[in-house]
Amino acid sequence: MAGRARAAPGAVHLPLQASAAGTGLPPAAGVRPVLVICRSGRRPQQAVELLRARGVEAVAVVGGMRAWADAGLPVVGPAGASGIVA
């Protein structure tokens, strides 16, 4: 049985509060655009603004993980297995 989706494959979870506090980013964040996504699509623009202020090229995914899954893109659960967006 598929687990609940937590992220797009290869995603790094960084809560908005942690980003605001200046938590370190993975090295790849400095060399390629970062897609910012949440479940519903309401918070990413705030995170994009925070990341851009730190010099990171960031883009919000409109519609969040729900739109991602509706587009047929893969989602993974907590253990990396196929997941669903609830």
Side-chain angles (χ1 to χ4, degrees), residues 29-76:
V31 296
R32 62 183 181 193
V34 173
L35 299 178
V36 181
I37 193 166
C38 72
R39 186 176 60 89
S40 66
R42 294 183 191 161
R43 294 174 299 260
Q45 195 56 44
Q46 292 173 317
V48 165
E49 291 171 14
L50 289 167
L51 291 169
R52 286 181 179 168
R54 294 170 66 184
V56 175
E57 185 179 351
V59 178
V61 176
V62 176
M65 283 302 296
R66 289 179 178 158
W68 179 277
D70 288 347
L73 297 168
V75 294
V76 293

